[in-house]
Amino acid sequence: MARGFKFSFHVSLVTAAIIYVYLSTVFVFIDQWVGLGSSPGMMNAAAFTFLAVMCIYSYRLAIFTDPGRVPSSFVPDIEDSERQIHEIKRKGGDLRFCQKCSHYKPPRAHHCRVCNRCVLRMDHHCMWMNNCVGHANHKIFFVFIVYAVLACIYSLVLLIGSLTVDTEDDTEDSFRTVYVISGLLLVPLSLALGFFVGWHIYLMLKNKTTIEYHEGVRAMWLAEKGGHLYSHPYDIGAYENLISILGPNFLCWVCPTSRHVDSGLHFQTKYDKLVRTSAEE
């Protein structure tokens, strides 16, 4: 489902950074190192162009894909005795009801103050996309940051390689500003995006969102204080957690348009089985 888009300074900044990194990498770093017209130069340019195109494409999809709206017809199933957890708030025991949207919301849904609506399985609101990361675009967002970190590291390698070439003319001096700006941009981006990829891999393996992670820290502390052992109720195993977001086909994990349409049903079936097993024990 597509969503409307409003102008954002942060999105413009990211777009400008992608364009700058691409132009400097292809027309400066590759050209200075191996020559853009040579076979190695064309191969590197083609490989980096592929990464840049996939990065821009997945970024656009993440921006315009609706993260997941709570259906206006949603009503919690009060009579379902097997699904007895996470239909209530952390405090008070009332059914989860959003005062701002004036309707009930399902488990894992949260209200975004920026978007001014509830988002299904909300992870966080990303100002760099001017959109929330939720159930419908979580995989697209993850694929984008994977392509982004690969492109940054690749560009950084080409930058370092081009610096090792001794040139007899003054071309290196003319590109000195490009090298300085690129270095100041690529090093922190590679580190930050690398950490971000690792962080979201950890969350996916645990079947947690960023919101649930921070809530889980407090819940774990309260459980240990009361002498109980805390476990994340949506954790159904590392592999099952991973394919519930990325899908069962490994070849489609890096394709932003490939979405496992049965992932929600697949997850809910596994979750209901765990609930029934726990009830029987």
Side-chain angles (χ1 to χ4, degrees), residues 254-275:
V254 293
C255 179
T257 56
S258 174
R259 187 161 173 262
H260 184 33
V261 295
D262 293 329
S263 61
L265 178 61
H266 173 82
F267 166 75
Q268 193 61 57
T269 302
K270 291 286 185 178
Y271 175 64
D272 289 344
K273 186 183 295 184
L274 289 177
V275 172

Side-chain angles (χ1 to χ4, degrees), residues 6-197:
K6 296 180 180 179
F7 174 80
S8 170
F9 170 76
H10 295 91
V11 172
S12 302
L13 195 63
V14 172
T15 305
I18 294 174
I19 295 174
Y20 175 82
V21 170
Y22 175 77
L23 294 177
S24 60
T25 301
V26 174
F27 296 103
V28 178
F29 307 153
I30 295 178
D31 191 40
Q32 290 295 305
W33 191 7
V34 292
L36 194 56
S38 64
S39 296
M42 288 188 289
M43 290 178 60
N44 279 283
F48 191 78
T49 299
F50 170 77
L51 285 178
V53 168
M54 292 303 297
C55 187
I56 293 175
Y57 181 59
S58 56
Y59 183 55
R60 182 184 180 278
L61 277 180
I63 291 174
F64 287 98
T65 301
D66 193 296
R69 296 176 180 268
V70 177
S72 57
S73 59
F74 172 78
V75 177
D77 190 357
I78 304 176
E79 297 179 356
D80 191 350
S81 59
E82 290 185 350
R83 201 171 302 168
Q84 51 192 326
I85 59 175
H86 287 285
E87 285 288 347
I88 59 175
K89 294 192 287 186
R90 289 175 297 170
K91 297 179 181 179
D94 298 327
L95 292 171
R96 303 183 78 239
F97 185 83
C98 181
Q99 299 291 342
K100 297 181 178 63
C101 297
S102 299
H103 63 63
Y104 291 101
K105 54 185 178 181
R108 316 188 83 180
H110 296 275
H111 185 87
C112 176
R113 291 176 293 179
V114 180
C115 298
N116 196 29
R117 64 184 179 87
C118 289
V119 177
L120 293 174
R121 198 183 179 276
M122 179 178 173
D123 186 88
H124 69 286
H125 181 88
C126 181
M127 65 178 183
W128 300 105
M129 299 193 321
N130 196 25
N131 192 14
C132 281
V133 177
H135 170 72
N137 66 346
H138 191 177
K139 177 189 174 180
I140 303 173
F141 169 77
F142 177 73
V143 171
F144 161 65
I145 59 177
V146 168
Y147 279 120
V149 73
L150 289 176
C152 286
I153 294 174
Y154 193 4
S155 178
L156 193 58
V157 170
L158 293 172
L159 185 154
I160 296 173
S162 64
L163 290 175
T164 61
V165 178
D166 294 328
T167 56
E168 298 179 355
D169 52 19
D170 296 331
T171 55
E172 184 176 349
D173 293 334
S174 62
F175 291 131
R176 188 182 303 275
T177 303
V178 175
Y179 280 100
V180 172
I181 295 176
S182 299
L184 293 175
L185 184 65
L186 289 172
V187 172
L189 271 180
S190 299
L191 294 175
L193 290 174
F195 169 80
F196 213 46
V197 168

Side-chain angles (χ1 to χ4, degrees), residues 236-248:
I236 55 176
Y239 176 72
E240 297 290 345
N241 293 337
L242 203 60
I243 66 174
S244 68
I245 297 175
L246 300 179

